[in-house]
Amino acid sequence: QVQLVESGGGLVQSGGSLRLSCQASGLTFGAYEMGWFRQAPGKEREFVAVIGSDDMPSFTDYVDSVKGRFTISRDNAKNAVYLQMNSLKPEDTASYFCAAMPPPHSTRRLERSYKYWGQGTQVTVSS
């Protein structure tokens, strides 16, 4: 049974930092591309970042609004993916979800490309 469990969310002031973690189990972690998505109240879930699998370990992609502020990384030995979020803004307030995309890998920014999802962790940035 595949499980993705996010942690690290919380309340932070504008300009602050948080590091989200996603612990995976029940899958061959290195074979999966791992993404982060977020959903703000009243809005659709949106792509945030993705990191490549063992086939493309240096590949990363970010939505424009977080480029230069967020960094995605993974530790295959720990079956974990991380999202370091710096210079947080109130508009970053959302529930953040990690997701796993199995091979063959598809369009990375689309939700439907991902097979497994975590339950989410809340990030609230106060102004």
Side-chain angles (χ1 to χ4, degrees):
Q1 180 182 358
V2 176
Q3 283 192 314
L4 302 178
V5 180
E6 302 96 336
S7 61
L11 174 64
V12 64
Q13 289 188 335
S14 181
S17 298
L18 283 174
R19 187 192 193 213
L20 304 184
S21 300
C22 174
Q23 183 66 51
S25 60
L27 74 172
T28 306
F29 184 71
Y32 285 72
E33 297 204 347
M34 298 299 296
W36 285 96
F37 288 72
R38 66 186 179 185
Q39 186 169 21
K43 296 187 177 181
E44 294 188 352
R45 191 153 55 182
E46 68 167 349
F47 166 81
V48 176
V50 64
I51 189 165
S53 67
D54 286 348
D55 292 341
M56 297 182 66
S58 61
F59 175 84
T60 58
D61 186 29
Y62 301 89
V63 67
D64 284 350
S65 60
V66 309
K67 284 181 180 177
R69 300 188 298 122
F70 290 11
T71 302
I72 189 171
S73 62
R74 65 190 296 163
D75 184 339
N76 287 353
K78 296 182 178 180
N79 282 9
V81 62
Y82 308 100
L83 187 67
Q84 178 66 44
M85 306 186 296
N86 299 329
S87 302
L88 282 161
K89 304 175 181 180
E91 51 263 44
D92 294 318
T93 295
S95 292
Y96 283 72
F97 301 86
C98 73
M101 185 196 312
H105 303 121
S106 184
T107 308
R108 296 178 173 95
R109 294 192 174 203
L110 296 181
E111 285 187 59
R112 63 174 180 266
S113 298
Y114 295 80
K115 183 174 183 179
Y116 302 111
W117 291 81
Q119 293 299 308
T121 185
Q122 177 67 35
V123 172
T124 303
V125 184
S126 63
S127 57

